């Protein structure tokens, strides 16, 4: 396992900790490559139901892309660094739920990575922002597209054009995070939700996530039609038979993921 990312297991939950606390867990090429490698491993590991992404130390989730790598880079170098597959897209389309456990500064590429996750849970000490404008840049990890989808165009304009940082409570009030909890409860509350989700049928979770992600690109008519197809597809699964049978027999379902 690479040292830039620590991997822990708790039941069916894999916790991935970006481990560059002295650099505020900034995303460099190494971290991005290692993250892709680990995501590839947990994608095929049937014992993992949910992934949680967090940052090492108490100060930062991720303070953005590693600014040190930008100095002197040509557009060609940068294009190569941003080649597919990109962690943001891999995470958004990952077949298992991914939760961002946001323990501190969540800036730039860090905020974009959090937005690529399915659910964001933040410590009350976390701070959010897209400060690229202060570097003569714009967000490059999907921020101009994912932020307005989460918080609306006006709030996204405010954050991206000003580069301002906002506290966790405000991030929640505009819809950038789903839950804010006291810092000392962050891990417990995140794992509580992660374990709850990981206990569901992995097959059905995958289909639910696919339907929800489709809502980001399809018209309402096409999305509802797609949902109907996926709903009916669930009728081919052993888990649908089991879920319905277990309800009728008043017992907990035993999922097999088939
Ligand atoms: N890239 C590279 N290094 C970073 C970094 C980043 N995005 N964010 C922080 N660091 C480094 C600092 O350079 C410093 O390294 P050093 O000790 O070797 O000098 C270390 O992390 C600690 O950061 P520091 O700035 O001293 O901490 P702070 O508490 O005063 O401020 C931040 C924290 C997050 C507000 C500040 O570091 C910051 O503004 N970071 C850049 C955020 C940003 O613009 N992100 C978008 C990038 S596109």
């Amino acid at each position: 396992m690479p040292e830039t990312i620590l991997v822990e297991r708790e039941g069916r939950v894999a916790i991935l900790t970006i481990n560059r606390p002295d650099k505020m867990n900034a995303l460099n090429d190494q971290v991005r490559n290692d993250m892709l490698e680990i995501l590839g491993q947990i994608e095929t590991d049937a014992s993992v139901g949910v992934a949680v992404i967090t940052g090492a130390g108490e100060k930062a989730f991720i303070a953005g892309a590693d600014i040190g790598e930008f100095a002197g880079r040509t557009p060609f170098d940068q294009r190569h660094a941003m080649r597919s597959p990109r962690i943001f897209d891999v995470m958004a389309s990952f077949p298992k739920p991914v939760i961002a456990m946001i323990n501190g500064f969540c800036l730039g590429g860090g905020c974009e990575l959090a937005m690529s996750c399915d659910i964001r849970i933040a410590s009350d000490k976390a701070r959010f922002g897209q400060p690229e404008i202060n570097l003569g840049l714009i967000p490059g990890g999907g921020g101009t597209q994912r932020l307005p989808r989460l918080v609306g165009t006006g709030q996204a304009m405010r954050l991206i054009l000003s580069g301002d940082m906002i506290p966790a409570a405000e991030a929640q009030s505009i819809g950038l995070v789903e839950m804010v909890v006291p810092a000392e409860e962050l891990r417990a509350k995140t794992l509580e939700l992660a374990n709850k989700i990981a206990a569901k049928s992995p097959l059905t979770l995958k289909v639910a996530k696919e339907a929800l992600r489709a809502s980001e690109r399809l018209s309402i008519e096409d999305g509802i039609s797609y949902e109907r197809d996926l709903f009916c597809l669930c009728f081919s699964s052993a888990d649908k038979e089991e879920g319905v049978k277990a309800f009728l027999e008043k017992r907990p379902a035993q999922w097999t993921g088939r």
Side-chain angles (χ1 to χ4, degrees), residues 22-24 26 63-67 70 105 107-108 131-132 135 165:
D22 53 328
K23 292 288 175 194
M24 300 273 169
D66 191 321
I67 300 169
F70 288 165
F105 286 113
L107 303 174
E132 292 88 346
L135 301 168
M165 271 191 239

Side-chain angles (χ1 to χ4, degrees), residues 175-194:
L176 180 50
V177 300
E178 284 66 50
M179 281 167 68
V180 177
V181 299
E184 57 278 12
E185 292 174 25
L186 179 64
R187 188 180 164 100
K189 293 280 185 207
T190 305
L191 286 176
E192 189 184 328
L193 180 63

Side-chain angles (χ1 to χ4, degrees), residues 20-28 59-60 62-70 105-110 112 127 129-135 137-140 165:
R20 297 186 75 209
D22 53 328
K23 292 288 175 194
M24 300 273 169
N25 303 315
L27 298 173
N28 61 8
K59 282 194 165 173
I62 302 164
D66 191 321
I67 300 169
E69 290 185 341
F70 288 165
F105 286 113
C106 181
L107 303 174
E112 290 168 305
R127 293 177 68 77
Q130 296 285 165
E132 292 88 346
I133 200 90
N134 299 324
L135 301 168
L137 288 169
I138 66 168
M165 271 191 239

Side-chain angles (χ1 to χ4, degrees), residues 61-134:
F61 171 66
I62 302 164
D66 191 321
I67 300 169
E69 290 185 341
F70 288 165
R73 252 191 192 166
T74 67
F76 294 101
D77 298 336
Q78 189 56 29
R79 190 79 172 81
H80 180 71
M82 294 171 87
R83 68 193 177 281
S84 295
R86 299 184 68 201
I87 48 173
F88 310 98
D89 307 324
V90 169
M91 227 153 238
S93 61
F94 200 64
K96 304 178 185 193
V98 185
I99 300 177
M101 181 164 80
I102 303 164
N103 52 310
F105 286 113
C106 181
L107 303 174
C111 192
E112 290 168 305
L113 197 68
M115 289 191 286
S116 305
C117 293
D118 302 316
I119 301 170
R120 286 148 291 278
I121 305 180
S123 140
D124 56 359
K125 298 207 171 80
R127 293 177 68 77
F128 297 78
Q130 296 285 165
E132 292 88 346
I133 200 90
N134 299 324

